[in-house]
Amino acid sequence: MSPRKPNMESSIYFGADGWWHGRVTMGVKSDGSPDRRHRRAKTETEIKRKVRVLERQREQGRAPAAGRKPTVEQWMETYLTDIASLKLKPRSLDDYWSKTRNDIVPGVGKHRIDKLQPEHLERMYRALLDAGRAPSHVVKVHRILSRALKIAHRRRIVGENVATLVDPPSIDETEANPFTKEEAKAFLEAAAKRPTSMRWIVGVGMGFRQGETLGLRWPYVDLDTELFRPEWQLQRLTWRHGCDDPRACGARLHRFEPCPPDCTTHRNYKRGCPEPCPKTCARHASACPQRKEGGLTFTRPKTKKSRNAVPIPPVFIPFLRAHRAQQAEMRAAAEELWEEHQVVFSRPDGRPLDPRQDYEEFKELLAEAGIDDRRLYDGSRHTAGTILNELGVDMPTIMEILRHTQISQTRRYVKGRSHLSKDAMRRMGEFFVPAPPTPNPGPDSGPTETRTETPDSRSARSRRRRRIR
């Protein structure tokens, strides 16, 4: 009888099935039973190599956790439901879910997470680009998947984060197109004809984000000390099911076949017909009788720096007082129909302004002011940063006003103007190369002012003095 092998020592033997087998004790499982891994190979050399790999992982503490590994789809659901939801803001979590459902799961969702290879990700990115997705969209998908795989690697579910072995597509940063001073004045003149004019004065003149502007509330506005405190922002969040069976709840709205080319059901949809539902569809939460956590909601800004107080320009104070008095008149006129949300910019019934309607109004004002089309961010934060720079405000101060955490982020918001560059280069040229002298006027050019009484030479002046004597 052979002596018993000591604990944690591996076993290698040739089986009756014609394969070499190796068994390595990696530790214990979560239930306390031994965690003994099995490998097999056709040759003794190959099985020894596989056993050494497992032993090295055990010694370095990098051994994957025991048990069958989940698929990418299963792990993404676990990651978003139990891990990311504890840290991400609601709007960011909605974006993670959207890209997971629409891009990650159809692309690599069926692969086991420990069998995922860099080539699988590269093919998925290539397919997304061929389908017309922007490189920035693909990069966001890559970051979401890489973060989920990083957590899986940290928990030893996989031995390596394969997303770190893949280079995502290169993206060109979107060129900012802020208002010029003349365009900003024309835009505000067009906005002055509307009841929401004060909203655009604050948005353009102070560089607030759309959600921050629409989420401003009177308790956080101090007109005596001239300070805005953007403690809240208004966002539209995706509804979630409150029922026990989301798939059955939305059964009447499931549509598994694509729309015909002459579809009339979705003719008013700006983005065309929606994609068909997946076989395991659990969407349509907006129709759930017990829906929750959706619609227009007040949320905290993303960073602590975004909640810093912002000084109000003194010239804005009379307009804000008049706006508050006008809002009090609307409250009295609405009577019991008024819904109190304490927002600075409200509808006639007291509810906050809808971000979608606010965006459409921005586009209408661009047309009325004769300004070419551009993003809402260009007309607010980029414009405020650029005009502050033109007025001679230094970059650290602009960073504080826009409430950025890094000055490199502020520099992306400030766009240099061509007339400032031309003036700077003119002064640079005059420093190195003086301007040419002014030519002497001709005899017929009329009287001119001179610095000396006569241009005579020294000898001519001496002869004149001798004649006088």
Side-chain angles (χ1 to χ4, degrees):
M1 181 175 179
S2 61
R4 178 181 177 136
K5 291 181 177 293
N7 288 338
M8 306 300 288
E9 185 172 342
S10 306
S11 300
I12 296 177
Y13 60 91
F14 185 76
D17 57 355
W19 288 79
W20 284 89
H21 297 266
R23 297 187 181 275
V24 183
T25 301
M26 306 297 290
V28 294
K29 298 180 181 178
S30 57
D31 59 357
S33 60
D35 179 11
R36 194 158 174 82
R37 310 288 175 89
H38 171 255
R39 295 290 185 270
R40 71 173 188 167
K42 279 294 186 181
T43 64
E44 185 178 7
T45 303
E46 181 65 17
I47 194 61
K48 287 182 178 179
R49 187 191 65 79
K50 291 185 176 182
V51 167
R52 283 196 301 270
V53 170
L54 281 177
E55 290 175 340
R56 191 180 306 113
Q57 289 179 345
R58 180 188 63 193
E59 294 165 0
Q60 297 176 352
R62 297 189 298 106
R68 183 175 178 83
K69 302 300 182 289
T71 63
V72 173
E73 179 178 4
Q74 293 169 341
W75 174 246
M76 290 302 301
E77 183 173 356
T78 301
Y79 166 69
L80 294 176
T81 303
D82 301 331
I83 303 172
S85 60
L86 302 178
K87 184 176 181 180
L88 294 177
K89 295 293 183 180
R91 192 72 174 269
S92 298
L93 185 61
D94 288 345
D95 186 47
Y96 275 45
W97 272 111
S98 174
K99 289 179 171 57
T100 298
R101 285 193 303 262
N102 299 326
D103 302 313
I104 296 176
V105 170
V108 295
K110 300 304 179 184
H111 288 284
R112 261 178 48 183
I113 193 171
D114 59 328
K115 301 295 183 181
L116 192 63
Q117 298 296 322
E119 295 78 13
H120 301 149
L121 303 187
E122 290 167 347
R123 282 196 290 268
M124 178 179 69
Y125 299 159
R126 182 71 265 167
L128 291 175
L129 292 173
D130 292 342
R133 293 292 191 180
S136 57
H137 178 94
V138 179
V139 170
K140 187 64 178 291
V141 171
H142 171 79
R143 290 173 179 169
I144 294 171
L145 183 57
S146 179
R147 178 62 182 173
L149 294 177
K150 180 180 179 180
I151 299 297
H153 179 236
R154 185 184 299 170
R155 300 187 178 190
R156 297 192 302 174
I157 298 174
V158 294
E160 186 176 23
N161 179 1
V162 297
T164 60
L165 307 177
V166 179
D167 291 329
S170 300
I171 57 176
D172 295 329
E173 189 172 343
T174 304
E175 182 71 17
N177 188 20
F179 292 155
T180 63
K181 293 179 180 179
E182 294 74 18
E183 288 174 338
K185 291 180 179 179
F187 180 87
L188 294 179
E189 287 176 1
K193 305 173 185 177
R194 296 176 178 248
T196 56
S197 60
M198 198 63 217
R199 175 263 178 272
W200 298 110
I201 292 175
V202 172
V204 177
M206 301 187 64
F208 275 28
R209 301 175 180 91
Q210 183 192 38
E212 293 171 345
T213 308
L214 302 185
L216 277 176
R217 300 203 225 182
W218 285 115
Y220 303 99
V221 179
D222 193 338
L223 297 181
D224 295 329
T225 59
E226 301 178 354
L227 286 176
F228 270 144
R229 288 184 289 129
E231 296 282 346
W232 297 92
Q233 60 182 351
L234 185 70
Q235 289 186 326
R236 184 182 298 279
L237 304 181
T238 304
W239 288 104
R240 304 188 187 281
H241 281 279
C243 56
D244 297 331
D245 190 354
R247 177 170 170 75
C249 179
R252 64 183 179 84
L253 299 174
H254 293 325
R255 184 179 53 83
F256 301 108
E257 299 297 330
C259 292
D262 55 346
C263 174
T264 58
T265 305
H266 308 107
R267 60 177 177 271
N268 294 327
Y269 280 41
K270 295 182 178 180
R271 298 183 179 180
C273 296
E275 294 291 330
C277 298
K279 297 301 181 182
T280 58
C281 179
R283 305 177 192 171
H284 316 298
S286 59
C288 177
Q290 303 173 20
R291 64 183 186 178
K292 60 182 181 179
E293 301 176 7
L296 290 179
T297 307
F298 289 100
T299 63
R300 290 290 188 181
K302 190 172 183 179
T303 63
K304 184 178 179 180
K305 189 72 178 276
S306 297
R307 296 163 60 180
N308 286 359
V310 182
I312 305 175
V315 70
F316 287 5
I317 299 299
F319 294 99
L320 285 169
R321 295 188 187 279
H323 175 76
R324 186 162 59 179
Q326 183 181 8
Q327 194 178 62
E329 294 176 2
M330 289 194 302
R331 183 186 296 106
E335 296 180 347
E336 69 276 1
L337 298 178
W338 182 266
E339 298 181 20
E340 187 58 68
H341 294 277
Q342 296 183 325
V343 290
V344 176
F345 309 111
S346 66
R347 307 182 206 184
D349 59 358
R351 292 181 298 162
L353 296 177
D354 191 315
R356 294 173 181 170
Q357 296 179 354
D358 182 76
Y359 177 80
E360 292 175 357
E361 185 177 37
F362 173 74
K363 296 296 183 178
E364 294 172 0
L365 290 173
L366 289 179
E368 292 178 12
I371 304 173
D372 57 338
D373 189 37
R374 62 194 66 189
R375 302 175 303 169
L376 181 56
Y377 243 48
D378 290 335
S380 54
R381 290 180 70 75
H382 285 288
T383 294
T386 301
I387 293 181
L388 284 170
N389 183 50
E390 291 182 0
L391 295 175
V393 181
D394 57 58
M395 202 63 66
T397 304
I398 298 177
M399 182 182 73
E400 290 299 319
I401 293 174
L402 297 182
R403 291 159 289 124
H404 289 151
T405 56
Q406 296 179 349
I407 200 166
S408 59
Q409 186 180 11
T410 306
R411 291 193 178 99
R412 292 199 299 269
Y413 276 70
V414 176
K415 182 178 181 181
R417 295 295 192 191
S418 58
H419 69 274
L420 295 179
S421 302
K422 289 176 65 175
D423 180 65
M425 295 311 295
R426 177 187 59 79
R427 288 185 279 120
M428 175 68 82
E430 292 176 354
F431 173 78
F432 283 108
V433 182
T438 305
N440 293 327
D444 300 330
S445 59
T448 59
E449 182 179 357
T450 61
R451 293 189 177 183
T452 58
E453 295 182 358
T454 175
D456 291 345
S457 63
R458 184 175 181 181
S459 59
R461 290 197 297 273
S462 298
R463 289 193 298 269
R464 189 179 304 109
R465 283 196 296 270
R466 286 195 296 270
R467 286 196 303 269
I468 293 174
R469 292 192 188 101

